[in-house]
């Protein structure tokens, strides 16, 4: 009941985004951390003269929330498990083909998913 309103919007901002910075800091990947920080430097340099700081600081989480919801919808519509029985002992390829599906092709669906609606071929 609460999965789609709560978790997809928070997946990228909280887990992927913050966790990436956390790992780079704790593992002392200073070069990677510096490259990640250049995004914010470029972002504030480019849009700082156009928008207020408060607006700029709210745009990044808003963008991450929209991106996160899109990612969850696109990835989950193709990875809904089909009829999988662990006792069948099928080879890897057969199991993968049973656990994924293509989504109906349409102009919007092709554009929205970046052609990832052809999950079996992907």
């Amino acid at each position: 009941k609460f999965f789609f309103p709560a978790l997809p919007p928070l997946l990228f901002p909280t887990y992927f985004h913050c966790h990436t910075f956390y790992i780079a800091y704790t593992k002392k990947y200073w070069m990677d951390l510096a490259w990640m920080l250049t995004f914010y430097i470029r972002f504030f340099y480019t849009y700082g003269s156009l928008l207020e700081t408060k607006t700029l600081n709210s745009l990044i989480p808003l963008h991450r929330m929209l991106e996160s919801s899109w990612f969850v919808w696109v990835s989950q519509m193709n990875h809904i498990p089909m009829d999988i029985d662990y006792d069948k002992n099928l080879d890897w390829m057969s199991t993968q083909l049973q656990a994924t599906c293509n989504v109906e092709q349409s102009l919007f669906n092709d554009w929205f998913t970046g052609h990832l609606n052809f999950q079996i071929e992907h």
Side-chain angles (χ1 to χ4, degrees), residues 19-84:
H19 191 67
T20 303
F21 278 98
Y22 172 75
I23 293 297
Y25 179 74
T26 57
K27 301 270 187 187
K28 298 181 178 162
Y29 297 150
W30 303 120
M31 186 60 74
D32 293 339
L33 190 59
W35 277 110
M36 288 188 290
L37 290 174
T38 62
F39 165 78
Y40 295 100
I41 293 167
R42 289 180 287 130
F43 182 79
F44 283 102
Y45 178 75
T46 304
Y47 297 109
S49 62
L50 301 173
L51 301 169
E52 297 175 0
T53 305
K54 186 177 181 181
T55 307
L56 284 174
N57 287 334
S58 64
L59 280 178
I60 294 172
L62 178 64
H63 172 261
R64 292 290 183 192
M65 289 174 73
L66 293 172
E67 175 187 31
S68 186
S69 297
W70 172 84
F71 174 77
V72 169
W73 279 104
V74 168
S75 63
Q76 290 305 307
M77 74 176 173
N78 295 338
H79 291 93
I80 298 171
M82 301 300 175
D83 182 31
I84 298 296

Side-chain angles (χ1 to χ4, degrees), residues 9-23:
L10 299 176
L11 179 67
F12 275 11
T14 56
Y15 183 71
F16 289 147
H17 189 71
C18 296
H19 191 67
T20 303
F21 278 98
Y22 172 75
I23 293 297

